[in-house]
């Protein structure tokens, strides 16, 4: 999924309420310890900000650049990632790093909220957003009150409306989110979501689970 420009403005606040959102079970998994800030591996600089899963000692480093509003990213999260996690991340073969590449101001707002959560709850909230895109994402859906919809999503993670507004209004966080995306463009040529930097190689799109297994197994065979 591509767009011409990164929009860095914040989502406007509105006052119209949205309907009740159906319950979604969180994808609970606490991130493991990161590399020390500034560490390099396969040409990728890892930072203390990165949200990760798996062992830093894994032979494969996978960095995903994705956007909360990206439907293809949501498909990867729901269809491919659970299999990837079970077979490669949890077994110490892949160290997974997730970075947001915002495609709109709504992505900036969503990531700002996610960053207000404890690190161990980050992935659960991102998964919640992906599984509920039609309820809050205005790209392709009729969402009259995006702010209200995001408040609804945040409520499932225990964040109240006032705290949501504080998170979204954090200009320093918004700047950092945008900078991460700009760095991805400059260093790795990221211009679409989802994009993956895997042991220094670029891979764009979701593909099939068989494609992923073939690709990762070939990388492991080189070790």
């Amino acid at each position: 999924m591509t767009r011409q420009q990164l929009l860095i403005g914040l989502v406007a606040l509105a006052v119209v309420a949205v309907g009740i959102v159906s319950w979604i079970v969180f994808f609970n998994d606490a991130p493991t310890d990161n590399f020390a800030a500034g560490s390099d591996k396969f040409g990728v600089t890892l930072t203390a900000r990165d949200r990760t899963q798996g062992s830093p000692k894994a032979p494969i480093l996978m960095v995903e650049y994705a956007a909360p509003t990206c439907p293809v990213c949501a498909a990867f999260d729901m269809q491919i990632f659970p299999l990837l996690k079970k077979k490669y991340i949890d077994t110490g073969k892949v160290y997974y790093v997730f970075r947001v590449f915002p495609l709109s101001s709504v992505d900036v707002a969503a990531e700002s909220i996610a960053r207000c959560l404890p690190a161990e709850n980050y992935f659960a909230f991102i998964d919640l957003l992906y599984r509920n895109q039609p309820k809050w994402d205005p790209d392709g859906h009729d969402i009259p009150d995006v702010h209200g919809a995001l408040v609804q999503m945040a409520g499932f993670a225990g964040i109240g409306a006032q705290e949501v507004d504080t998170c979204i209004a954090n200009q320093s966080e918004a700047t950092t989110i945008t900078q991460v995306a700009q760095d991805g463009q400059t260093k790795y040529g990221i211009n679409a979501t989802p994009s993956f930097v895997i042991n220094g190689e670029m891979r764009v799109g979701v593909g099939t689970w068989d494609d992923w297994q073939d690709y990762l197994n070939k990388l492991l065979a080189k070790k």
Side-chain angles (χ1 to χ4, degrees), residues 127-185:
D127 182 65
L128 176 73
L129 292 178
Y130 278 143
R131 293 179 183 276
N132 288 273
Q133 273 185 345
K135 297 181 175 69
W136 66 271
D137 177 9
D139 183 20
H141 306 107
D142 182 17
I143 310 295
D145 177 12
V146 177
H147 170 260
L150 285 172
V151 169
Q152 288 279 355
M153 291 294 103
F156 285 105
I159 300 180
Q162 184 173 354
E163 186 177 357
V164 167
D165 290 346
T166 299
C167 297
I168 292 175
N170 187 336
Q171 292 293 331
S172 177
E173 182 63 45
T175 298
T176 300
I177 292 167
T178 303
Q179 187 61 54
V180 169
Q182 290 175 342
D183 288 346
Q185 285 183 311

Side-chain angles (χ1 to χ4, degrees), residues 33 42 46 56 61 74 78 85 98 102-103 185 202 210 219:
D33 292 337
F42 299 110
L46 298 164
L61 171 64
M78 292 184 286
K85 185 177 185 302
F98 182 84
L103 303 174
Q185 285 183 311
M202 177 71 73
D210 286 340
L219 287 181

Side-chain angles (χ1 to χ4, degrees), residues 1-3 64-82 96 98 103 107 126 129-131 133-134 136-137 139 141 192-196 203-208 212:
M1 181 181 182
T2 62
R3 298 182 186 176
E64 178 184 2
Y65 283 87
T69 61
C70 164
V72 182
C73 303
F76 177 81
D77 173 78
M78 292 184 286
Q79 300 169 14
I80 302 295
F81 187 79
Y96 172 80
F98 182 84
L103 303 174
D107 287 312
I126 294 297
L129 292 178
Y130 278 143
R131 293 179 183 276
Q133 273 185 345
W136 66 271
D137 177 9
D139 183 20
H141 306 107
T193 58
S195 290
F196 303 85
R203 184 180 176 91
V204 180
V206 173
T208 67
W212 276 103

